[in-house]
Amino acid sequence: MFALIDCNNFYASCERVFRPDLNEKPIVVLSNNDGCVIARSNEAKKVGVPMGAAAFKFQELFKQKNVHVFSANFALYGDMSMRVMNILSGYCPKIEIYSIDEAFLDFSGFEKFDLQKYGEEIVKKIQKSTGIPVSIGFAETKALSKVANRIAKKYPKETKSVYIIDNDEKRIKALKWLKVEDIWGIGRQHSKKLNSINIKTALEFSRLNDEFVKKQFSIVELRIKKDLEGQPTLKLEKKKPKKNIATTRSFEKMYTTIEELKERIATFAVFCGEKLRAQKSCCNSLMVFVQTNYFRKDLPQYSRSIVVQLPYSTNSSIEIAQFALEGLEKIFKDGYHYKKAGVVIMDFCPEDGLQQTLFEHSNPKHKNLMQVIDKLNNTLGQQKVKLAIQDKDRVWKMKQERLSPRYTTNLSEIITINADQ
């Protein structure tokens, strides 16, 4: 038996934990640089705020409907997610963290448990410990647990936020209720294609011929279909190291000199190196790119990238930055106004199984140095220790005009309580 645990309106719920005065009031959370809506409370949906809405276009609606707008506080959301996942791991050892607000649990061996009561206990524990409301769906397969979760979330009072699909009658009833575009793993284009052949519900999709699904779509959609039929084909996935890591940014202004770009490229390379060491990997190649502002039709345009093959495997920020700067020098051209650049590191291998070369290799002193730098930055704050080429006074900050305090991760922003004397 699988379970899907999903945090309800997660970003909005995180804000409400520390602002209970916002309960039952419309809330939206904006993307990086306060660009567009990436999360909405149910109340915000009801007043007509669409997902992905450009924030500047909906300012009037926000005012009219008294919508509370927040900048994305990923430090807070990430910490709250970790707290929820830690609680879940105490209830079931087999867990797949699917996203920041979702997790699959494999309840094999729990056959003698009353899963309804067990699920209700989990809901209450998470609510009491974190303040985050969750919904739980149980079923024999991962795809069906997704369906069960939607029902639990749609009808929280009737289900007590826990719904179990444990027989064929419930399965058929649930699939008949679920629209084909709401099936987990069926994208917009596939749902349009299915609608064109008069497949409107998940039940109708599950009854399609296997060969037809495989031929018209792919093996992925066939596995989803089998899962919806009650035949387990999707298992818990283990966390895998990333195959590439990218740091890219649009600049707050246009740059014209290579010195300005060097500082940015070196900083991006350092960020990539930090992430690479966190997953205990090394890279063997990297890509550097630069581009001008395509919205400025009055200026000459230029875009170029280059892949640099490294002479040895490394996760040293010093060496990654050095190779990235060599790539930048090869593609930079004078006379252009650069608006965006980035570094992508690729071709990973485990750091504990490096193949050494005869004549060139990573500086062995860098390993201990990087460990100290990472420890200092994790303790004192990001970018406290930098390379000399980086701007010592500059910290990359997004436009976040409506950012709430980082209540759980920054001591200076911890919640304060005013008590009457």
Side-chain angles (χ1 to χ4, degrees):
M1 186 70 78
F2 290 93
L4 175 69
I5 291 80
D6 186 12
C7 300
N8 303 340
N9 301 315
F10 182 59
Y11 290 174
S13 295
C14 288
E15 300 291 351
R16 282 174 170 161
V17 168
F18 304 95
R19 289 282 308 277
D21 58 300
L22 298 181
N23 288 336
E24 299 182 359
K25 294 181 180 179
I27 296 174
V28 299
V29 177
L30 304 181
S31 62
N32 292 343
N33 296 312
D34 292 347
C36 61
V37 174
I38 59 171
R40 307 164 294 165
S41 66
N42 290 334
E43 295 81 6
K45 297 174 185 177
K46 290 179 181 178
V47 300
V49 180
M51 181 65 81
F56 75 94
K57 292 183 179 180
F58 283 79
Q59 291 301 320
E60 192 61 35
L61 178 63
F62 294 160
K63 292 179 181 179
Q64 290 178 359
K65 302 297 183 180
N66 195 28
V67 177
H68 297 266
V69 183
F70 290 90
S71 301
N73 190 340
F74 292 119
L76 174 64
Y77 307 154
D79 184 69
M80 295 299 288
S81 172
M82 180 186 69
R83 293 165 187 255
V84 171
M85 300 307 168
N86 285 341
I87 292 172
L88 290 176
S89 63
Y91 281 92
C92 181
K94 299 178 182 178
I95 181 172
E96 174 195 337
I97 300 176
Y98 184 66
S99 67
I100 193 171
D101 62 346
E102 289 180 288
F104 284 104
L105 274 62
D106 184 350
F107 279 92
S108 300
F110 284 69
E111 287 78 11
K112 294 184 178 181
F113 278 65
D114 184 334
L115 291 180
Q116 180 66 40
K117 290 184 178 180
Y118 201 59
E120 291 174 14
E121 181 184 332
I122 295 173
V123 171
K124 291 177 182 177
K125 177 68 174 180
I126 294 175
Q127 178 76 56
K128 183 178 181 179
S129 301
T130 68
I132 302 295
V134 301
S135 301
I136 303 180
F138 287 96
E140 291 292 336
T141 70
K142 288 176 74 175
L144 283 175
S145 71
K146 268 277 192 178
V147 180
N149 183 277
R150 291 183 71 93
I151 295 172
K153 183 176 291 188
K154 182 73 173 178
Y155 306 103
K157 292 182 180 179
E158 295 84 350
T159 64
K160 295 184 179 180
S161 296
V162 178
Y163 188 73
I164 305 174
I165 298 178
D166 54 2
N167 59 52
D168 209 44
E169 182 181 351
K170 285 185 177 180
R171 181 187 70 85
I172 293 172
K173 186 177 180 180
L175 296 185
K176 189 181 295 184
W177 166 79
L178 187 69
K179 295 179 180 178
V180 72
E181 56 265 29
D182 293 329
I183 299 174
W184 175 48
I186 300 295
R188 184 179 300 175
Q189 294 302 318
H190 285 337
S191 63
K192 287 181 179 179
K193 188 174 182 179
L194 288 165
N195 285 330
S196 69
I197 58 174
N198 206 33
I199 301 298
K200 306 292 185 182
T201 68
L203 182 62
E204 292 171 338
F205 172 72
S206 70
R207 289 176 173 174
L208 287 172
N209 179 271
D210 287 356
E211 287 301 318
F212 175 83
V213 173
K214 185 177 180 180
K215 183 177 180 180
Q216 294 296 320
F217 300 96
S218 73
I219 190 66
V220 174
E221 284 70 35
L222 179 60
R223 287 172 180 164
I224 293 172
K225 173 187 176 297
K226 290 290 187 183
D227 249 42
L228 293 176
E229 290 176 333
Q231 303 178 40
T233 58
L234 303 171
K235 298 180 180 179
L236 294 189
E237 295 183 4
K238 295 181 180 179
K239 186 176 180 180
K240 298 178 181 178
K242 295 181 179 179
K243 295 183 179 180
N244 57 66
I245 295 172
T247 302
T248 67
R249 296 286 190 275
S250 293
F251 309 135
E252 74 280 6
K253 63 178 183 178
M254 291 183 286
Y255 293 160
T256 57
T257 68
I258 193 170
E259 285 73 24
E260 292 173 308
L261 282 175
K262 278 185 175 180
E263 193 280 332
R264 290 288 82 197
I265 290 296
T267 297
F268 298 163
V270 168
F271 287 163
C272 288
E274 290 175 352
K275 296 175 183 177
L276 188 62
R277 293 191 294 276
Q279 71 172 38
K280 301 186 182 303
S281 298
C282 293
C283 66
N284 290 285
S285 64
L286 61 83
M287 181 180 74
V288 179
F289 76 86
V290 293
Q291 68 181 51
T292 53
N293 188 348
Y294 286 103
F295 293 103
R296 289 293 301 272
K297 303 299 182 183
D298 58 319
L299 297 174
Q301 301 297 323
Y302 176 69
S303 177
R304 184 75 187 276
S305 66
I306 185 172
V307 174
V308 180
Q309 296 294 331
L310 310 190
Y312 47 80
S313 303
T314 182
N315 60 14
S316 163
S317 292
I318 297 173
E319 292 168 343
I320 294 172
Q322 173 189 336
F323 293 125
L325 292 175
E326 290 177 6
L328 173 64
E329 290 177 349
K330 293 179 180 179
I331 62 176
F332 176 82
K333 284 188 177 182
D334 280 315
Y336 292 96
H337 294 71
Y338 295 94
K339 183 62 177 176
K340 187 176 183 179
V343 175
V344 183
I345 54 176
M346 306 171 289
D347 193 10
F348 295 166
C349 61
E351 68 174 2
D352 57 356
L354 296 182
Q355 181 68 43
Q356 300 293 339
T357 59
L358 185 60
F359 300 106
E360 293 183 281
H361 54 80
S362 179
N363 190 328
K365 295 181 180 179
H366 287 188
K367 182 175 182 179
N368 291 335
L369 177 60
M370 292 299 114
Q371 288 177 348
V372 173
I373 291 176
D374 290 341
K375 185 175 182 179
L376 288 171
N377 284 335
N378 289 333
T379 303
L380 303 176
Q382 191 183 48
Q383 304 179 57
K384 293 296 183 183
V385 182
K386 300 183 177 183
L387 302 186
I389 194 174
Q390 295 178 260
D391 187 335
K392 65 182 181 65
D393 298 319
R394 180 174 183 175
V395 178
W396 181 268
K397 290 185 178 180
M398 297 178 290
K399 177 186 176 184
Q400 294 178 307
E401 296 178 346
R402 302 169 183 267
L403 186 65
S404 57
R406 294 163 292 178
Y407 298 103
T408 63
T409 61
N410 191 309
L411 192 59
S412 64
E413 299 177 19
I414 194 170
I415 192 169
T416 57
I417 300 175
N418 298 318
D420 292 334
Q421 294 182 352

